[in-house]
């Protein structure tokens, strides 16, 4: 089962009050395949979603409506009976000549109904990706007007959607993990909202660990490179019999480097009997490197 299907299964387990049942049913029908005075229709790969659309239509029409399986293996709900359509649209506050694919806010009576309406819209036309792969939630909407209405509904909450047009249809979408968490919480998918939150936290932890590992690796590489350069200079000085003539402080740090070839400069500073900063250590090694470089 896909992540979207899991979210929709969670939503379908919600029990609505009558006012919210109207709003959710309206959302399901309005964002379906067809919504006009002559036809209501819905098409899905999921029999469960097709049945939820049928139940929404039954709730409004007070008559039994069932999905049928197409030759292509999809599930379709098609309503063209004029009497049934009239009952549905009358319940939704439309007359026969006033049906249009725009949000009729009279069907969203109470604050709780906004969530129910958006839940119906999500069940009808939305998908959301698994947060372990990427962050994306979108509503596929048939018209610019309905797309604008849906976007305005989200203005009542914190998440701010983006809109794009694809192949003649419109998409209202969210790419931010926190916005998707909010949308899922608003429509009632609290469990999957937490899944998004946990996935984001897990990714952040992994990214932080990787950054630290990469940082440590880079530090080790720099230490090894610097120590190699220092050892090369010291060995050259010894080979040319110049070691015993070094100033005491340079001879001291050179001997320490020979004894601890893999230690960092800060670790060497801690081994000195007198206090010396890392900058001071670096300065002494630079002198040794210069002496080695001047030897012909």
């Amino acid at each position: 089962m896909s992540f979207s299907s899991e979210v929709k299964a969670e939503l379908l387990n919600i029990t609505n009050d009558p006012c919210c049942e109207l709003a959710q049913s309206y959302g399901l029908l309005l964002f379906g395949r067809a919504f006009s005075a002559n036809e209501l229709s819905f098409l899905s790969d999921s029999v469960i979603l097709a049945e939820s659309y049928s139940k929404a239509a039954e709730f409004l029409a007070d008559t039994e409506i069932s999905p049928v399986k197409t030759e292509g293996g999809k599930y379709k709900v098609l309503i063209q009976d004029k009497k049934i359509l009239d009952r549905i649209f009358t319940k939704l506050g439309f007359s026969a000549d006033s049906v249009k694919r725009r949000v009729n806010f009279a069907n969203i009576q109470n604050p709780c109904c906004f969530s129910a309406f958006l839940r119906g819209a999500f069940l009808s036309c939305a998908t959301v990706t698994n947060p372990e792969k990427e962050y994306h939630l979108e509503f596929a909407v048939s018209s610019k007007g309905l797309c604008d209405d849906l976007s305005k509904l989200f203005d009542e909450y914190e998440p701010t959607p983006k809109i794009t047009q694809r192949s003649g249809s419109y998409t209202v979408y969210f790419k931010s993990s926190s916005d998707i968490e909010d949308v899922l919480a608003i429509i009632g998918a609290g469990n999957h909202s937490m899944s998004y939150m946990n996935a984001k936290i897990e990714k952040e932890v992994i990214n932080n660990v990787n950054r630290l590992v990469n940082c440590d690796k880079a530090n080790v590489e720099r230490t090894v490179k610097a120590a190699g350069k220092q050892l090369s200079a010291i060995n050259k000085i010894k080979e040319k019999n110049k070691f015993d003539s070094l100033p005491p402080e340079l001879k001291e740090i050179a001997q320490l480097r020979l004894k601890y070839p893999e230690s960092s400069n800060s670790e060497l500073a801690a081994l000195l009997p007198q206090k010396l900063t890392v900058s001071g250590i670096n300065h002494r090694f630079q002198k040794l490197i210069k002496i080695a470089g001047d030897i012909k």
Side-chain angles (χ1 to χ4, degrees), residues 79-140:
I79 306 169
Q80 293 177 319
D81 185 290
K82 186 65 176 170
K83 290 181 179 179
I84 295 175
L85 290 169
D86 285 346
R87 284 203 295 272
I88 290 172
F89 287 120
T90 299
K91 191 78 172 281
L92 293 175
F94 294 106
S95 60
D97 57 353
S98 71
V99 176
K100 55 183 178 180
R101 204 157 195 173
R102 298 296 297 266
V103 175
N104 179 4
F105 286 90
N107 292 315
I108 308 173
Q109 301 171 10
N110 305 310
C112 58
C113 299
F114 279 85
S115 295
F117 176 79
L118 291 172
R119 182 158 58 248
F122 185 93
L123 288 167
S124 192
C125 71
T127 56
V128 58
T129 59
N130 188 322
E132 293 179 2
K133 296 178 180 177
E134 64 172 327
Y135 303 141
H136 188 84
L137 185 153
E138 67 174 46
F139 294 79

Side-chain angles (χ1 to χ4, degrees), residues 8-216:
K8 291 180 180 183
E10 181 180 358
L11 297 179
L12 289 171
N13 282 327
I14 294 173
T15 301
N16 291 314
D17 291 332
C19 64
C20 291
E21 191 65 32
L22 173 67
Q24 180 172 314
S25 298
Y26 178 40
L28 260 162
L29 269 59
L30 183 62
F31 288 88
R33 191 181 187 200
F35 185 91
S36 72
N38 298 314
E39 180 182 318
L40 287 170
S41 70
F42 180 80
L43 186 68
S44 175
D45 292 324
S46 168
V47 64
I48 296 172
L49 289 177
E51 287 173 350
S52 69
Y53 183 95
S54 293
K55 288 177 183 176
E58 287 176 358
F59 172 78
L60 296 168
D62 195 25
T63 189
E64 186 176 344
I65 298 168
S66 300
V68 295
K69 192 171 184 178
T70 68
E71 291 182 1
K74 293 182 180 290
Y75 296 91
K76 184 176 183 179
V77 182
L78 177 63
I79 306 169
Q80 293 177 319
D81 185 290
K82 186 65 176 170
K83 290 181 179 179
I84 295 175
L85 290 169
D86 285 346
R87 284 203 295 272
I88 290 172
F89 287 120
T90 299
K91 191 78 172 281
L92 293 175
F94 294 106
S95 60
D97 57 353
S98 71
V99 176
K100 55 183 178 180
R101 204 157 195 173
R102 298 296 297 266
V103 175
N104 179 4
F105 286 90
N107 292 315
I108 308 173
Q109 301 171 10
N110 305 310
C112 58
C113 299
F114 279 85
S115 295
F117 176 79
L118 291 172
R119 182 158 58 248
F122 185 93
L123 288 167
S124 192
C125 71
T127 56
V128 58
T129 59
N130 188 322
E132 293 179 2
K133 296 178 180 177
E134 64 172 327
Y135 303 141
H136 188 84
L137 185 153
E138 67 174 46
F139 294 79
V141 186
S142 61
S143 70
K144 180 66 165 62
L146 187 56
C147 183
D148 291 339
D149 288 348
L150 180 61
S151 181
K152 286 176 184 175
L153 274 170
F154 280 111
D155 288 343
E156 299 290 325
Y157 303 95
E158 286 298 324
T160 303
K162 295 180 181 179
I163 297 173
T164 189
Q165 187 175 7
R166 291 187 207 142
S167 305
S169 64
Y170 295 84
T171 302
V172 177
Y173 69 96
F174 302 85
K175 296 290 287 183
S176 160
S177 172
S178 57
D179 281 350
I180 296 172
E181 289 167 26
D182 289 342
V183 172
L184 293 177
I186 289 164
I187 63 176
N191 292 336
H192 288 85
S193 176
M194 287 299 298
S195 295
Y196 251 81
M197 188 180 298
N198 291 336
K200 180 177 69 175
I201 292 170
E202 186 176 335
K203 282 184 181 179
E204 288 174 351
V205 169
I206 291 171
N207 288 338
N208 287 337
V209 168
N210 287 338
R211 276 195 293 271
L212 289 172
V213 168
N214 291 335
C215 182
D216 286 345

